[in-house]
PDB file of all heavy atoms in Angstrom:
ATOM      1  N   TRP S   5     -47.127 -42.896  37.638  1.00 85.00           N
ATOM      2  CA  TRP S   5     -47.525 -41.602  37.088  1.00 85.00           C
ATOM      3  C   TRP S   5     -47.232 -41.541  35.587  1.00 85.00           C
ATOM      4  O   TRP S   5     -48.072 -41.132  34.798  1.00 85.00           O
ATOM      5  CB  TRP S   5     -46.824 -40.462  37.821  1.00 85.00           C
ATOM      6  CG  TRP S   5     -46.972 -39.152  37.111  1.00 85.00           C
ATOM      7  CD1 TRP S   5     -45.993 -38.429  36.503  1.00 85.00           C
ATOM      8  CD2 TRP S   5     -48.184 -38.413  36.907  1.00 85.00           C
ATOM      9  NE1 TRP S   5     -46.511 -37.291  35.929  1.00 85.00           N
ATOM     10  CE2 TRP S   5     -47.858 -37.254  36.172  1.00 85.00           C
ATOM     11  CE3 TRP S   5     -49.510 -38.605  37.276  1.00 85.00           C
ATOM     12  CZ2 TRP S   5     -48.809 -36.311  35.801  1.00 85.00           C
ATOM     13  CZ3 TRP S   5     -50.465 -37.658  36.899  1.00 85.00           C
ATOM     14  CH2 TRP S   5     -50.101 -36.531  36.169  1.00 85.00           C
ATOM     15  N   THR S   6     -46.035 -41.943  35.180  1.00 84.00           N
ATOM     16  CA  THR S   6     -45.685 -41.883  33.765  1.00 84.00           C
ATOM     17  C   THR S   6     -46.543 -42.841  32.947  1.00 84.00           C
ATOM     18  O   THR S   6     -46.881 -42.547  31.795  1.00 84.00           O
ATOM     19  CB  THR S   6     -44.185 -42.163  33.524  1.00 84.00           C
ATOM     20  OG1 THR S   6     -43.849 -43.414  34.101  1.00 84.00           O
ATOM     21  CG2 THR S   6     -43.316 -41.068  34.098  1.00 84.00           C
ATOM     22  N   SER S   7     -46.915 -43.957  33.529  1.00 85.00           N
ATOM     23  CA  SER S   7     -47.796 -44.894  32.836  1.00 85.00           C
ATOM     24  C   SER S   7     -49.173 -44.269  32.593  1.00 85.00           C
ATOM     25  O   SER S   7     -49.787 -44.480  31.554  1.00 85.00           O
ATOM     26  CB  SER S   7     -47.936 -46.173  33.660  1.00 85.00           C
ATOM     27  OG  SER S   7     -48.753 -47.088  33.000  1.00 85.00           O
ATOM     28  N   LEU S   8     -49.632 -43.482  33.535  1.00 84.00           N
ATOM     29  CA  LEU S   8     -50.928 -42.812  33.382  1.00 84.00           C
ATOM     30  C   LEU S   8     -50.843 -41.655  32.395  1.00 84.00           C
ATOM     31  O   LEU S   8     -51.704 -41.488  31.538  1.00 84.00           O
ATOM     32  CB  LEU S   8     -51.422 -42.298  34.740  1.00 84.00           C
ATOM     33  CG  LEU S   8     -52.680 -41.433  34.703  1.00 84.00           C
ATOM     34  CD1 LEU S   8     -53.879 -42.241  34.226  1.00 84.00           C
ATOM     35  CD2 LEU S   8     -52.939 -40.824  36.066  1.00 84.00           C
ATOM     36  N   ILE S   9     -49.806 -40.880  32.485  1.00 82.00           N
ATOM     37  CA  ILE S   9     -49.724 -39.633  31.720  1.00 82.00           C
ATOM     38  C   ILE S   9     -49.338 -39.844  30.261  1.00 82.00           C
ATOM     39  O   ILE S   9     -49.666 -39.025  29.400  1.00 82.00           O
ATOM     40  CB  ILE S   9     -48.753 -38.648  32.424  1.00 82.00           C
ATOM     41  CG1 ILE S   9     -48.964 -37.211  31.952  1.00 82.00           C
ATOM     42  CG2 ILE S   9     -47.313 -39.034  32.213  1.00 82.00           C
ATOM     43  CD1 ILE S   9     -50.259 -36.613  32.365  1.00 82.00           C
ATOM     44  N   LEU S  10     -48.666 -40.929  29.961  1.00 82.00           N
ATOM     45  CA  LEU S  10     -48.164 -41.178  28.610  1.00 82.00           C
ATOM     46  C   LEU S  10     -49.221 -40.976  27.520  1.00 82.00           C
ATOM     47  O   LEU S  10     -49.008 -40.202  26.591  1.00 82.00           O
ATOM     48  CB  LEU S  10     -47.548 -42.573  28.519  1.00 82.00           C
ATOM     49  CG  LEU S  10     -46.911 -42.936  27.193  1.00 82.00           C
ATOM     50  CD1 LEU S  10     -45.691 -42.071  26.931  1.00 82.00           C
ATOM     51  CD2 LEU S  10     -46.522 -44.406  27.187  1.00 82.00           C
ATOM     52  N   PRO S  11     -50.389 -41.613  27.587  1.00 81.00           N
ATOM     53  CA  PRO S  11     -51.369 -41.396  26.513  1.00 81.00           C
ATOM     54  C   PRO S  11     -52.031 -40.014  26.562  1.00 81.00           C
ATOM     55  O   PRO S  11     -52.561 -39.546  25.560  1.00 81.00           O
ATOM     56  CB  PRO S  11     -52.400 -42.501  26.729  1.00 81.00           C
ATOM     57  CG  PRO S  11     -52.273 -42.862  28.154  1.00 81.00           C
ATOM     58  CD  PRO S  11     -50.840 -42.630  28.528  1.00 81.00           C
ATOM     59  N   LEU S  12     -51.985 -39.354  27.696  1.00 75.00           N
ATOM     60  CA  LEU S  12     -52.600 -38.034  27.806  1.00 75.00           C
ATOM     61  C   LEU S  12     -51.763 -36.968  27.124  1.00 75.00           C
ATOM     62  O   LEU S  12     -52.254 -35.907  26.776  1.00 75.00           O
ATOM     63  CB  LEU S  12     -52.817 -37.664  29.274  1.00 75.00           C
ATOM     64  CG  LEU S  12     -53.694 -38.619  30.083  1.00 75.00           C
ATOM     65  CD1 LEU S  12     -53.811 -38.128  31.513  1.00 75.00           C
ATOM     66  CD2 LEU S  12     -55.064 -38.790  29.458  1.00 75.00           C
ATOM     67  N   GLU S  13     -50.487 -37.252  26.938  1.00 74.00           N
ATOM     68  CA  GLU S  13     -49.590 -36.275  26.328  1.00 74.00           C
ATOM     69  C   GLU S  13     -49.792 -36.129  24.824  1.00 74.00           C
ATOM     70  O   GLU S  13     -49.203 -35.255  24.213  1.00 74.00           O
ATOM     71  CB  GLU S  13     -48.134 -36.642  26.644  1.00 74.00           C
ATOM     72  CG  GLU S  13     -47.819 -36.478  28.117  1.00 74.00           C
ATOM     73  CD  GLU S  13     -46.428 -36.934  28.484  1.00 74.00           C
ATOM     74  OE1 GLU S  13     -45.851 -37.780  27.775  1.00 74.00           O
ATOM     75  OE2 GLU S  13     -45.917 -36.440  29.498  1.00 74.00           O
ATOM     76  N   VAL S  14     -50.644 -36.959  24.218  1.00 69.00           N
ATOM     77  CA  VAL S  14     -50.870 -36.847  22.778  1.00 69.00           C
ATOM     78  C   VAL S  14     -51.966 -35.847  22.433  1.00 69.00           C
ATOM     79  O   VAL S  14     -52.163 -35.532  21.280  1.00 69.00           O
ATOM     80  CB  VAL S  14     -51.229 -38.217  22.134  1.00 69.00           C
ATOM     81  CG1 VAL S  14     -50.143 -39.213  22.378  1.00 69.00           C
ATOM     82  CG2 VAL S  14     -52.576 -38.717  22.612  1.00 69.00           C
ATOM     83  N   GLY S  15     -52.687 -35.359  23.430  1.00 60.00           N
ATOM     84  CA  GLY S  15     -53.761 -34.407  23.159  1.00 60.00           C
ATOM     85  C   GLY S  15     -53.251 -33.183  22.429  1.00 60.00           C
ATOM     86  O   GLY S  15     -52.060 -32.883  22.429  1.00 60.00           O
ATOM     87  N   LYS S  16     -54.164 -32.459  21.770  1.00 61.00           N
ATOM     88  CA  LYS S  16     -53.802 -31.234  21.065  1.00 61.00           C
ATOM     89  C   LYS S  16     -53.035 -30.299  22.004  1.00 61.00           C
ATOM     90  O   LYS S  16     -53.195 -30.358  23.211  1.00 61.00           O
ATOM     91  CB  LYS S  16     -55.065 -30.503  20.617  1.00 61.00           C
ATOM     92  CG  LYS S  16     -55.688 -31.012  19.363  1.00 61.00           C
ATOM     93  CD  LYS S  16     -56.982 -30.285  19.156  1.00 61.00           C
ATOM     94  CE  LYS S  16     -57.058 -29.571  17.850  1.00 61.00           C
ATOM     95  NZ  LYS S  16     -58.352 -28.918  17.662  1.00 61.00           N
ATOM     96  N   SER S  17     -52.252 -29.440  21.423  1.00 65.00           N
ATOM     97  CA  SER S  17     -51.534 -28.482  22.254  1.00 65.00           C
ATOM     98  C   SER S  17     -52.549 -27.651  23.038  1.00 65.00           C
ATOM     99  O   SER S  17     -53.686 -27.476  22.620  1.00 65.00           O
ATOM    100  CB  SER S  17     -50.666 -27.578  21.389  1.00 65.00           C
ATOM    101  OG  SER S  17     -51.466 -26.800  20.541  1.00 65.00           O
ATOM    102  N   ARG S  18     -52.115 -27.179  24.158  1.00 72.00           N
ATOM    103  CA  ARG S  18     -52.933 -26.384  25.078  1.00 72.00           C
ATOM    104  C   ARG S  18     -53.896 -27.232  25.880  1.00 72.00           C
ATOM    105  O   ARG S  18     -54.790 -26.715  26.517  1.00 72.00           O
ATOM    106  CB  ARG S  18     -53.620 -25.238  24.359  1.00 72.00           C
ATOM    107  CG  ARG S  18     -52.592 -24.297  23.708  1.00 72.00           C
ATOM    108  CD  ARG S  18     -53.216 -23.216  22.931  1.00 72.00           C
ATOM    109  NE  ARG S  18     -54.084 -22.420  23.794  1.00 72.00           N
ATOM    110  CZ  ARG S  18     -54.229 -21.128  23.708  1.00 72.00           C
ATOM    111  NH1 ARG S  18     -53.536 -20.470  22.835  1.00 72.00           N
ATOM    112  NH2 ARG S  18     -55.048 -20.488  24.504  1.00 72.00           N
ATOM    113  N   SER S  19     -53.751 -28.541  25.866  1.00 78.00           N
ATOM    114  CA  SER S  19     -54.505 -29.402  26.757  1.00 78.00           C
ATOM    115  C   SER S  19     -53.951 -29.211  28.163  1.00 78.00           C
ATOM    116  O   SER S  19     -52.784 -28.855  28.335  1.00 78.00           O
ATOM    117  CB  SER S  19     -54.389 -30.869  26.343  1.00 78.00           C
ATOM    118  OG  SER S  19     -55.016 -31.073  25.091  1.00 78.00           O
ATOM    119  N   LYS S  20     -54.772 -29.452  29.172  1.00 84.00           N
ATOM    120  CA  LYS S  20     -54.366 -29.199  30.555  1.00 84.00           C
ATOM    121  C   LYS S  20     -54.810 -30.331  31.477  1.00 84.00           C
ATOM    122  O   LYS S  20     -55.863 -30.930  31.283  1.00 84.00           O
ATOM    123  CB  LYS S  20     -54.970 -27.890  31.082  1.00 84.00           C
ATOM    124  CG  LYS S  20     -54.636 -26.670  30.270  1.00 84.00           C
ATOM    125  CD  LYS S  20     -53.175 -26.336  30.336  1.00 84.00           C
ATOM    126  CE  LYS S  20     -52.867 -25.137  29.451  1.00 84.00           C
ATOM    127  NZ  LYS S  20     -51.519 -25.082  29.025  1.00 84.00           N
ATOM    128  N   ILE S  21     -53.976 -30.574  32.470  1.00 85.00           N
ATOM    129  CA  ILE S  21     -54.311 -31.509  33.535  1.00 85.00           C
ATOM    130  C   ILE S  21     -54.124 -30.762  34.846  1.00 85.00           C
ATOM    131  O   ILE S  21     -53.050 -30.217  35.110  1.00 85.00           O
ATOM    132  CB  ILE S  21     -53.418 -32.761  33.504  1.00 85.00           C
ATOM    133  CG1 ILE S  21     -53.582 -33.491  32.177  1.00 85.00           C
ATOM    134  CG2 ILE S  21     -53.754 -33.687  34.678  1.00 85.00           C
ATOM    135  CD1 ILE S  21     -52.594 -34.614  31.956  1.00 85.00           C
ATOM    136  N   ILE S  22     -55.173 -30.727  35.649  1.00 87.00           N
ATOM    137  CA  ILE S  22     -55.128 -30.104  36.969  1.00 87.00           C
ATOM    138  C   ILE S  22     -55.118 -31.233  37.992  1.00 87.00           C
ATOM    139  O   ILE S  22     -55.941 -32.151  37.908  1.00 87.00           O
ATOM    140  CB  ILE S  22     -56.349 -29.185  37.207  1.00 87.00           C
ATOM    141  CG1 ILE S  22     -56.349 -28.042  36.196  1.00 87.00           C
ATOM    142  CG2 ILE S  22     -56.357 -28.667  38.638  1.00 87.00           C
ATOM    143  CD1 ILE S  22     -57.615 -27.190  36.236  1.00 87.00           C
ATOM    144  N   ILE S  23     -54.222 -31.125  38.948  1.00 86.00           N
ATOM    145  CA  ILE S  23     -54.130 -32.146  39.986  1.00 86.00           C
ATOM    146  C   ILE S  23     -54.308 -31.468  41.334  1.00 86.00           C
ATOM    147  O   ILE S  23     -53.637 -30.471  41.633  1.00 86.00           O
ATOM    148  CB  ILE S  23     -52.762 -32.860  39.939  1.00 86.00           C
ATOM    149  CG1 ILE S  23     -52.619 -33.566  38.602  1.00 86.00           C
ATOM    150  CG2 ILE S  23     -52.612 -33.837  41.102  1.00 86.00           C
ATOM    151  CD1 ILE S  23     -51.244 -34.090  38.327  1.00 86.00           C
ATOM    152  N   THR S  24     -55.228 -31.998  42.140  1.00 86.00           N
ATOM    153  CA  THR S  24     -55.339 -31.531  43.514  1.00 86.00           C
ATOM    154  C   THR S  24     -54.695 -32.582  44.398  1.00 86.00           C
ATOM    155  O   THR S  24     -54.908 -33.788  44.216  1.00 86.00           O
ATOM    156  CB  THR S  24     -56.804 -31.292  43.949  1.00 86.00           C
ATOM    157  OG1 THR S  24     -57.507 -32.531  43.998  1.00 86.00           O
ATOM    158  CG2 THR S  24     -57.515 -30.339  43.000  1.00 86.00           C
ATOM    159  N   THR S  25     -53.894 -32.122  45.339  1.00 84.00           N
ATOM    160  CA  THR S  25     -53.188 -33.042  46.231  1.00 84.00           C
ATOM    161  C   THR S  25     -52.791 -32.329  47.517  1.00 84.00           C
ATOM    162  O   THR S  25     -52.637 -31.113  47.535  1.00 84.00           O
ATOM    163  CB  THR S  25     -51.932 -33.633  45.553  1.00 84.00           C
ATOM    164  OG1 THR S  25     -51.361 -34.624  46.405  1.00 84.00           O
ATOM    165  CG2 THR S  25     -50.905 -32.565  45.223  1.00 84.00           C
ATOM    166  N   ARG S  26     -52.636 -33.109  48.554  1.00 79.00           N
ATOM    167  CA  ARG S  26     -52.073 -32.602  49.815  1.00 79.00           C
ATOM    168  C   ARG S  26     -50.597 -32.970  49.916  1.00 79.00           C
ATOM    169  O   ARG S  26     -49.917 -32.546  50.824  1.00 79.00           O
ATOM    170  CB  ARG S  26     -52.789 -33.226  51.009  1.00 79.00           C
ATOM    171  CG  ARG S  26     -54.222 -32.840  51.127  1.00 79.00           C
ATOM    172  CD  ARG S  26     -54.836 -33.538  52.306  1.00 79.00           C
ATOM    173  NE  ARG S  26     -56.030 -34.206  51.838  1.00 79.00           N
ATOM    174  CZ  ARG S  26     -56.696 -35.096  52.518  1.00 79.00           C
ATOM    175  NH1 ARG S  26     -56.289 -35.474  53.684  1.00 79.00           N
ATOM    176  NH2 ARG S  26     -57.774 -35.643  52.019  1.00 79.00           N
ATOM    177  N   ASN S  27     -50.135 -33.784  49.000  1.00 76.00           N
ATOM    178  CA  ASN S  27     -48.801 -34.356  49.057  1.00 76.00           C
ATOM    179  C   ASN S  27     -47.842 -33.539  48.182  1.00 76.00           C
ATOM    180  O   ASN S  27     -47.973 -33.527  46.960  1.00 76.00           O
ATOM    181  CB  ASN S  27     -48.874 -35.814  48.578  1.00 76.00           C
ATOM    182  CG  ASN S  27     -47.572 -36.550  48.671  1.00 76.00           C
ATOM    183  OD1 ASN S  27     -46.501 -35.968  48.586  1.00 76.00           O
ATOM    184  ND2 ASN S  27     -47.658 -37.863  48.829  1.00 76.00           N
ATOM    185  N   GLN S  28     -46.885 -32.871  48.796  1.00 78.00           N
ATOM    186  CA  GLN S  28     -45.930 -32.046  48.048  1.00 78.00           C
ATOM    187  C   GLN S  28     -45.085 -32.884  47.085  1.00 78.00           C
ATOM    188  O   GLN S  28     -44.675 -32.395  46.038  1.00 78.00           O
ATOM    189  CB  GLN S  28     -45.022 -31.273  49.011  1.00 78.00           C
ATOM    190  CG  GLN S  28     -45.729 -30.120  49.681  1.00 78.00           C
ATOM    191  CD  GLN S  28     -46.252 -29.105  48.677  1.00 78.00           C
ATOM    192  OE1 GLN S  28     -45.555 -28.675  47.762  1.00 78.00           O
ATOM    193  NE2 GLN S  28     -47.506 -28.707  48.834  1.00 78.00           N
ATOM    194  N   ASN S  29     -44.819 -34.147  47.423  1.00 79.00           N
ATOM    195  CA  ASN S  29     -44.068 -35.019  46.509  1.00 79.00           C
ATOM    196  C   ASN S  29     -44.847 -35.253  45.225  1.00 79.00           C
ATOM    197  O   ASN S  29     -44.271 -35.310  44.139  1.00 79.00           O
ATOM    198  CB  ASN S  29     -43.727 -36.355  47.171  1.00 79.00           C
ATOM    199  CG  ASN S  29     -42.699 -36.195  48.271  1.00 79.00           C
ATOM    200  OD1 ASN S  29     -41.868 -35.306  48.224  1.00 79.00           O
ATOM    201  ND2 ASN S  29     -42.779 -37.052  49.268  1.00 79.00           N
ATOM    202  N   VAL S  30     -46.160 -35.400  45.330  1.00 81.00           N
ATOM    203  CA  VAL S  30     -47.001 -35.554  44.135  1.00 81.00           C
ATOM    204  C   VAL S  30     -46.941 -34.287  43.306  1.00 81.00           C
ATOM    205  O   VAL S  30     -46.792 -34.336  42.084  1.00 81.00           O
ATOM    206  CB  VAL S  30     -48.461 -35.893  44.519  1.00 81.00           C
ATOM    207  CG1 VAL S  30     -49.387 -35.785  43.312  1.00 81.00           C
ATOM    208  CG2 VAL S  30     -48.552 -37.280  45.132  1.00 81.00           C
ATOM    209  N   ALA S  31     -47.034 -33.148  43.955  1.00 77.00           N
ATOM    210  CA  ALA S  31     -46.981 -31.874  43.234  1.00 77.00           C
ATOM    211  C   ALA S  31     -45.666 -31.726  42.477  1.00 77.00           C
ATOM    212  O   ALA S  31     -45.652 -31.306  41.322  1.00 77.00           O
ATOM    213  CB  ALA S  31     -47.172 -30.711  44.211  1.00 77.00           C
TER     214      ALA S  31
END
């Protein structure tokens, strides 16, 4: 997860990532 999210965290402020999951651990 951190490997995936690392480059996404550089986006301008107020960027958003929505995740749909059935797995509470993922949430």
